[in-house]
Amino acid sequence: MSMQAHIAEPGRAGKWVRTVSGWFAGRGRTLVIAIPMLWLLLFFLVPFLVVGKISLSEAAIARPPYLPIWNFEDGILTLSLNLGNFQFLAEDSLYFNAYVQSLQIAFFSTILALLIGYPMAYVIARAPARLRNLLLMLVILPFWTSFLLRIYAWIGILKTNGVINNILLSLGIIHEPLVMMQTNFAVYVGIVYTYLPFMILPLYSTLVKLDESLFEAAADLGARPLTIFLSVTLPLSVPGIIAGSMLVFIPVVGEFVTPELLGGPDTLMIGRQLWTEFFANRDWPVASAVAIVMLIVLVLPVMLLQRTQPDEAGG
Amino acid sequence: MSQQENGPVMRPWLDPDAVPFIRIRNITKKFGAFTAVNNVTLDIYHNELFCLLGGSGCGKSTLLRMLSGFEQPTDGSIEIDGQDMAGMSPCDRPTNMMFQSYALFPHMSVEKNIAYGLKRDRLPRGEIADRVAEILKLVQLEEYGTRKPAQLSGGQRQRVALARSLVKKPKVLLLDEPLGALDKKLREETQFELVNIQETLGVTFIVVTHDQEEAMSISTRIGVMDQGKIIQVGEPREIYEFPQSRFVADFIGSVNMFEGQVIKDTQSKVVIHCPDAQMDIEVSHGVSCASAQKVAFAIRPEKIQMSRTKPKKALNLTRGVVQEIAYLGNLSIYHVVLDSGKAVRVTRPNLERADEHAVTWEDRVYLYWDGTAGVVLNT
Ligand SMILES: Nc1ncnc2c1ncn2[C@@H]1O[C@H](COP(=O)(O)OP(=O)(O)OP(=O)(O)O)[C@@H](O)[C@H]1O
Ligand SMILES: [Mg+2]
């Protein structure tokens, strides 16, 4: 269990190892919790506070391009909090629309990923054990090529003289090329394609754990396959559905690359807006305000969801 | 405790005209090259509590799973109540199964678990509630209806699983090691309960177990399995007192086995020359075996008489020294080593609390039995 068993002779080094192993045994639990806490603090909370600070300052032509929010002069500390950025977001309907459309695209992408990913996860989980790893590998395989490359590949498939149009035209099914690029359709294709593995993996890990005898018991009691699915499989896979949906929904709301490359001018997503504010307008405070609001828009529903979710789901 | 000993005796298996309720004919199941169930033919009658008994991996569960439809037989046929089961899916079969692992739905309360099968039959809601309440009372879990399986003890879960499989009142109830997880006391109580339930509901039970005492105490008949084959079917008493093979004699209860050779075979008696027992054992019922055939004489430990003084009249008599005594409370087990070196088990009930004349360690004793105490086995 501890390292002590492996120490052959209790010399000086042995003593040291024993002390360390004792410390690990005693503090191990604290340590295990402390490391991720520290990580979150350093790479999440601190940047969040920095962004929060910037969102409350005023833009300026300077370096960095905003005014400090506190000033210490003649022994007087002045703190100037500028809520104007948030006010600006509230007044300009562009931002509101971008938030709504981001949430909408994220919502429908999640639903689509669930509808496509569930059957895939189900089939993999029910496949013979020796096939499962191969199938999972195939799900993860696209990650081994660059994300950008894959999106460019989609451009090649979807564009006016792309693969799909060429095939349909040559088969005579259509006579005019379909316009797919720079539409929301292309954005959905790209997003669902990209995030599908994040849906499949948690679903798979939930489904593979379900005991085969539960399905047999249901069948034995007179349930047909569809009833078994609806009354046993589906309720027991709720934890996987929730985990997968979160893993898709949350990053998609802030998605930037896919709408930028596949979407058209009317694909308003908040990630794009953020980028524009930061790099095109160089308005860091407004960009920070956009980021803060996005976080609130995202975090609140997730927290509410977790509050309402029963603890023993799946257990 | 056996059922044929209480109440009116119903033994359709003795009646050549009786129609079996379940007819298993030459059923074989192969997994690849491995034969899990090998050419089993078995008749089970209405209202029986039939026990399948055998060691681990002998094919009991596989046989049950073929009855419930989860495994397709490689060969042979199964008929229940005159209906051929071939190709019928589990949800249409007139059987319900209680799983070795219980297989309770973890996301449903006890009530919902039990009601599951009734809902599939689209019974009216009121009737479902009534029947669930009734069965909960039967298994004494009235107060636990709203709990989830995870909030129950192992024994309570087992009762829920039993209730769930019972509530549909199937024609045949299949129970795979239903009491495996229970402690000895609860196990014995539940055995009685099972027998009671079976008698009240009039359902035909097939119970898988590898516990021979359990099989003896609850069943109408026992089928002993070994390596995919049913090697003997009979009432508990028959299986215990008249085993037909060395395997059955050895598997059910404990037994002393003397290898020997038939030296005399007449209508009324058989004499077996047994060097191990230092004598020629005389058995007073006829055995169909060739002369000079090698056979085994099997005798149960409790059928052997033991005394320090030489009995006046004994058909079979031998001598030995008490080597070990195991005191079990109600009885004691004596290990007696014969002069030939063969160890023999003898059990005696402890009838008195302090018996000064009792046989003790290192005593030289006579062992003896009459002509009907044991059986001759030639397989
Ligand atoms: N699906 C399967 N594939 C391959 N072999 C199997 C399969 N199911 C069972 N077996 C084999 O068939 C044999 C009989 O199995 P079975 O489950 O019927 O045993 P059992 O008598 O119920 O044993 P136990 O008392 O341990 O439950 C075993 O050797 C087992 O390994
Ligand atoms: Mg088994």
Side-chain angles (χ1 to χ4, degrees):
Chain A
M1 270 181 280
S2 77
M3 289 162 148
Q4 293 171 24
H6 303 293
I7 297 162
E9 29 182 22
R12 189 169 278 186
K15 213 177 243 171
W16 184 82
V17 171
R18 215 174 306 159
T19 319
V20 171
S21 72
W23 185 84
F24 264 98
R27 312 284 169 91
R29 185 171 303 204
T30 330
L31 203 74
V32 162
I33 300 170
I35 288 177
M37 288 298 265
L38 212 68
W39 177 273
L40 284 178
L41 197 75
L42 217 63
F43 295 106
F44 185 78
L45 195 62
V46 171
F48 176 75
L49 289 177
V50 170
V51 171
K53 191 195 82 176
I54 298 176
S55 76
L56 292 172
S57 70
E58 225 172 308
I61 301 172
R63 197 177 275 249
Y66 56 89
L67 298 175
I69 61 171
W70 53 68
N71 209 354
F72 191 69
E73 229 170 65
D74 305 331
I76 301 167
L77 176 72
T78 47
L79 189 70
S80 55
L81 294 181
N82 174 19
L83 294 174
N85 300 316
F86 292 96
Q87 208 177 348
F88 174 66
L89 291 190
E91 280 163 4
D92 192 338
S93 67
L94 178 75
Y95 295 98
F96 179 76
N97 290 341
Y99 280 118
V100 169
Q101 204 175 1
S102 290
L103 290 177
Q104 196 182 335
I105 289 179
F107 178 77
F108 287 115
S109 304
T110 307
I111 299 278
L112 284 171
L114 184 61
L115 291 179
I116 300 168
Y118 198 106
M120 289 174 77
Y122 187 87
V123 168
I124 299 174
R126 293 277 150 259
R130 71 203 140 72
L131 259 181
R132 271 183 228 151
N133 283 336
L134 180 74
L135 291 172
L136 277 181
M137 186 82 131
L138 290 177
V139 168
I140 305 168
L141 202 62
F143 283 119
W144 288 349
T145 50
S146 147
F147 167 61
L148 274 179
L149 221 58
R150 284 181 283 141
I151 293 298
Y152 278 121
W154 274 111
I155 296 178
I157 294 171
L158 297 174
K159 66 185 176 186
T160 314
N161 57 350
V163 177
I164 293 181
N165 274 323
N166 283 347
I167 292 178
L168 290 181
L169 281 172
S170 67
L171 289 177
I173 295 173
I174 53 171
H175 301 290
E176 296 269 300
L178 298 172
V179 179
M180 288 179 287
M181 271 306 294
Q182 300 187 330
T183 61
N184 277 358
F185 170 74
V187 174
Y188 276 120
V189 168
I191 287 179
V192 170
Y193 163 77
T194 308
Y195 287 93
L196 198 56
F198 295 102
M199 182 61 89
I200 293 179
L201 294 178
L203 276 175
Y204 165 80
S205 74
T206 312
L207 287 170
V208 80
K209 273 185 287 185
L210 294 186
D211 187 357
E212 187 80 32
S213 66
L214 291 180
F215 308 130
E216 290 184 346
D220 187 62
L221 291 166
R224 303 198 172 270
L226 183 66
T227 321
I228 296 178
F229 177 76
L230 292 176
S231 63
V232 179
T233 319
L234 198 58
L236 288 176
S237 51
V238 165
I241 294 176
I242 290 179
S245 300
M246 299 254 219
L247 284 180
V248 174
F249 185 83
I250 293 172
V252 171
V253 173
E255 179 64 39
F256 161 68
V257 177
T258 314
E260 181 69 20
L261 293 180
L262 298 179
D266 54 343
T267 310
L268 273 181
M269 282 187 77
I270 205 65
R272 258 177 123 181
Q273 228 47 52
L274 200 71
W275 196 89
T276 313
E277 292 303 342
F278 255 113
F279 297 103
N281 299 351
R282 268 184 78 77
D283 192 341
W284 287 24
V286 167
S288 300
V290 169
I292 296 283
V293 171
M294 184 170 91
L295 202 72
I296 291 167
V297 166
L298 272 182
V299 167
L300 277 185
V302 170
M303 274 168 63
L304 285 178
L305 194 70
Q306 272 182 334
R307 192 64 61 81
T308 54
Q309 205 193 323
D311 293 333
E312 79 267 46
Chain B
M1 250 208 317
S2 302
Q3 288 198 331
Q4 74 268 17
E5 284 171 3
N6 47 41
V9 184
M10 294 261 299
R11 296 150 87 183
W13 47 92
L14 298 180
D15 175 3
D17 296 330
V19 181
F21 193 63
I22 303 170
R23 246 190 246 265
I24 300 171
R25 288 285 173 273
N26 304 98
I27 209 106
T28 296
K29 177 71 194 181
K30 288 186 178 155
F31 294 109
F34 177 77
T35 308
V37 172
N38 191 355
N39 198 16
V40 166
T41 294
L42 187 62
D43 282 335
I44 295 170
Y45 295 87
H46 194 62
N47 266 353
E48 261 204 88
L49 200 163
F50 191 92
C51 267
L52 280 172
L53 184 59
S56 189
C58 69
K60 308 177 298 284
S61 295
T62 307
L63 185 56
L64 223 55
R65 290 171 59 80
M66 285 194 281
L67 283 165
S68 54
F70 299 127
E71 303 282 3
Q72 296 308 314
T74 314
D75 204 6
S77 69
I78 296 172
E79 209 177 87
I80 296 177
D81 201 11
Q83 213 181 354
D84 188 10
M85 291 292 122
M88 195 186 277
S89 83
C91 55
D92 296 321
R93 296 202 179 197
T95 59
N96 277 150
M97 173 128 152
M98 178 181 163
F99 288 75
Q100 198 162 0
S101 59
Y102 307 153
L104 297 176
F105 305 124
H107 57 300
M108 296 183 198
S109 66
V110 168
E111 274 166 358
K112 291 236 171 74
N113 260 285
I114 296 174
Y116 190 87
L118 299 174
K119 276 196 196 137
R120 304 287 85 79
D121 287 349
R122 301 184 189 285
L123 295 182
R125 206 175 275 184
E127 190 185 337
I128 293 180
D130 290 347
R131 278 174 70 173
V132 169
E134 184 191 339
I135 205 90
L136 274 177
K137 198 167 162 197
L138 189 70
V139 296
Q140 299 171 13
L141 285 174
E142 291 117 308
E143 291 112 72
Y144 298 89
T146 54
R147 292 219 195 161
K148 293 270 176 70
Q151 300 164 315
L152 298 175
S153 76
Q156 289 164 339
R157 264 178 242 172
Q158 178 259 316
R159 283 151 193 262
V160 177
L162 181 64
R164 189 179 69 176
S165 53
L166 269 174
V167 75
K168 287 189 81 173
K169 302 205 173 108
K171 287 181 182 168
V172 178
L173 189 63
L174 307 163
L175 303 117
D176 197 348
E177 311 235 356
L179 314 179
L182 303 186
D183 64 57
K184 194 165 162 28
K185 204 159 172 70
L186 191 57
R187 203 181 163 103
E188 279 168 8
E189 278 174 28
T190 320
Q191 284 171 4
F192 274 110
E193 232 168 79
L194 259 188
V195 173
N196 281 337
I197 290 170
Q198 195 267 340
E199 282 172 352
T200 338
L201 295 184
V203 171
T204 306
F205 277 43
I206 302 181
V207 181
V208 159
T209 175
H210 57 233
D211 178 345
Q212 46 114 350
E213 266 181 47
E214 182 170 296
M216 300 288 287
S217 63
I218 64 176
S219 56
T220 53
R221 283 190 308 156
I222 295 173
V224 182
M225 280 188 83
D226 183 33
Q227 296 181 0
K229 287 195 168 140
I230 295 242
I231 45 179
Q232 189 175 352
V233 177
E235 294 170 29
R237 175 178 291 271
E238 205 179 325
I239 296 267
Y240 186 78
E241 304 289 2
F242 303 100
Q244 286 164 0
S245 61
R246 288 179 174 87
F247 178 85
V248 175
D250 207 26
F251 190 76
I252 313 280
S254 66
V255 73
N256 297 297
M257 208 89 80
F258 299 99
E259 301 293 332
Q261 205 168 23
V262 177
I263 51 173
K264 194 167 163 200
D265 185 6
T266 67
Q267 200 66 31
S268 60
K269 70 176 183 184
V270 181
V271 178
I272 306 161
H273 175 64
C274 293
D276 271 355
Q278 304 155 297
M279 60 170 165
D280 296 340
I281 297 173
E282 196 177 317
V283 184
S284 57
H285 61 87
V287 186
S288 57
C289 51
S291 198
Q293 192 186 349
K294 288 208 183 313
V295 294
F297 174 76
I299 183 165
R300 301 281 182 198
E302 72 277 8
K303 303 280 190 310
I304 301 179
Q305 306 291 320
M306 179 174 66
S307 76
R308 277 183 298 200
T309 55
K310 189 169 181 181
K312 288 189 196 82
K313 198 164 79 72
L315 193 58
N316 300 296
L317 180 72
T318 186
R319 299 194 68 179
V321 175
V322 176
Q323 196 111 93
E324 241 179 277
I325 305 174
Y327 175 78
L328 297 186
N330 57 342
L331 51 81
S332 292
I333 302 173
Y334 298 81
H335 284 259
V336 179
V337 177
L338 305 185
D339 297 340
S340 66
K342 165 104 179 157
V344 175
R345 273 162 81 95
V346 181
T347 53
R348 297 283 90 197
N350 293 319
L351 301 175
E352 288 174 42
R353 289 175 68 191
D355 188 357
E356 273 140 41
H357 307 292
V359 174
T360 80
W361 285 270
E362 305 299 334
D363 274 354
R364 201 162 166 77
V365 291
Y366 291 93
L367 301 182
Y368 54 101
W369 57 88
D370 64 20
T372 57
V375 290
V376 179
L377 305 171
N378 47 27
T379 51

